[in-house]
């Protein structure tokens, strides 16, 4: 019985040892492209709603050169991205760099500083609707703002707030 047990143990260990394949130590090449890091850094908002982050990430990772409509002669490409919560129109140059975006999202979760600024300035009012707009330009930077519809009973008002909770 002891011999069978030792034999199975030895067989089990040799099977694991022989299964290890040692290659030349080289990993496959990975191409890292940071074409649109400026866009991601500019629109980055750690408190942005998840759908906003997901669509902005999709825009930044989009590869114009591998798309079916890419042609060497074109200098400019406008691409539309849609999700139920919003849309982004992005303009790319021939190398895939984002030149500008126009972004609009409806009824997404507001950042804490925007929600608290509204609650402080308009106590007793509730946010009925919101629209989050982002305009990015490679040369001009980013403009982020919220258009809110507030309700208090039958009263309704519209306000505009920037990303820091400052009323415009």
């Amino acid at each position: 019985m002891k011999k069978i047990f030792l034999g199975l143990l030895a067989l089990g260990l040799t099977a694991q040892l022989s299964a290890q394949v040692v290659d030349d130590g080289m990993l496959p090449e990975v191409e890292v492209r940071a074409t649109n890091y400026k866009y991601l850094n500019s629109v980055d908002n750690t408190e942005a709603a998840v759908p906003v982050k997901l669509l902005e990430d999709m825009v930044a990772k989009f590869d114009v050169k591998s798309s079916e409509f890419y042609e060497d002669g074109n200098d400019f490409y406008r691409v539309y991205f849609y999700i139920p919560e919003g849309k982004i129109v992005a303009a790319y140059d021939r190398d895939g760099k984002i030149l500008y975006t126009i972004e609009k999202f409806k009824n997404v979760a507001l950042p804490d500083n925007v929600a608290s600024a509204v609650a402080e300035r308009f106590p007793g009012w509730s946010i009925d609707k919101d629209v989050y707009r982002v305009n990015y330009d490679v040369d001009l930077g980013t403009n982020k703002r919220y258009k809110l519809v507030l309700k208090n009973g039958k009263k309704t008002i519209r306000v505009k707030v920037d990303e820091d909770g400052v009323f415009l």
Side-chain angles (χ1 to χ4, degrees):
M1 185 71 164
K2 220 181 213 184
K3 288 182 183 180
I4 294 174
F5 178 71
L6 289 175
L8 289 174
L9 181 65
L11 183 65
L13 290 176
T14 56
Q16 289 177 354
L17 291 174
S18 65
Q20 295 179 357
V21 177
V22 179
D23 59 5
D24 59 357
M26 300 295 292
L27 295 174
E29 289 186 31
V30 175
E31 180 183 343
V32 177
R33 296 181 320 142
T35 305
N36 292 313
Y37 71 92
K38 287 183 181 179
Y39 166 72
L40 281 178
N41 287 339
S42 184
V43 299
D44 181 44
N45 183 354
T46 55
E47 292 189 29
V50 173
V52 175
K53 289 180 184 180
L54 291 174
L55 197 57
E56 287 175 343
D57 191 48
M58 187 183 302
V59 169
K61 291 178 180 176
F62 182 73
D63 186 10
V64 170
K65 289 185 175 183
S66 67
S67 67
E68 61 189 45
F69 55 83
Y70 180 78
E71 294 180 13
D72 286 333
N74 293 347
D75 293 333
F76 180 81
Y77 297 90
R78 186 174 295 133
V79 183
Y80 297 82
F81 298 86
Y82 296 97
I83 59 173
E85 294 85 355
K87 60 185 172 183
I88 297 179
V89 178
Y92 297 86
D93 67 6
R94 77 171 71 196
D95 297 322
K97 180 180 172 185
I98 297 174
L99 302 174
Y100 69 85
T101 65
I102 302 167
E103 307 175 26
K104 182 178 181 180
F105 299 92
K106 292 183 178 182
N107 299 320
V108 294
L110 299 176
D112 291 338
N113 55 351
V114 172
S116 62
V118 171
E120 182 179 315
R121 186 164 176 184
F122 299 98
W125 291 76
S126 62
I127 300 170
D128 187 44
K129 298 178 186 176
D130 69 80
V131 174
Y132 177 50
R133 297 186 63 96
V134 180
N135 291 323
Y136 166 79
D137 186 291
V138 69
D139 297 322
L140 302 176
T142 305
N143 182 8
K144 303 175 192 177
R145 62 192 173 279
Y146 293 87
K147 293 181 179 181
L148 309 173
V149 176
L150 306 178
K151 280 197 168 189
N152 187 354
K154 292 185 179 183
K155 298 178 188 175
T156 302
I157 59 172
R158 298 176 190 279
V159 295
K160 293 180 184 178
V161 184
D162 71 5
E163 65 184 315
D164 298 320
V166 177
F167 289 87
L168 306 172

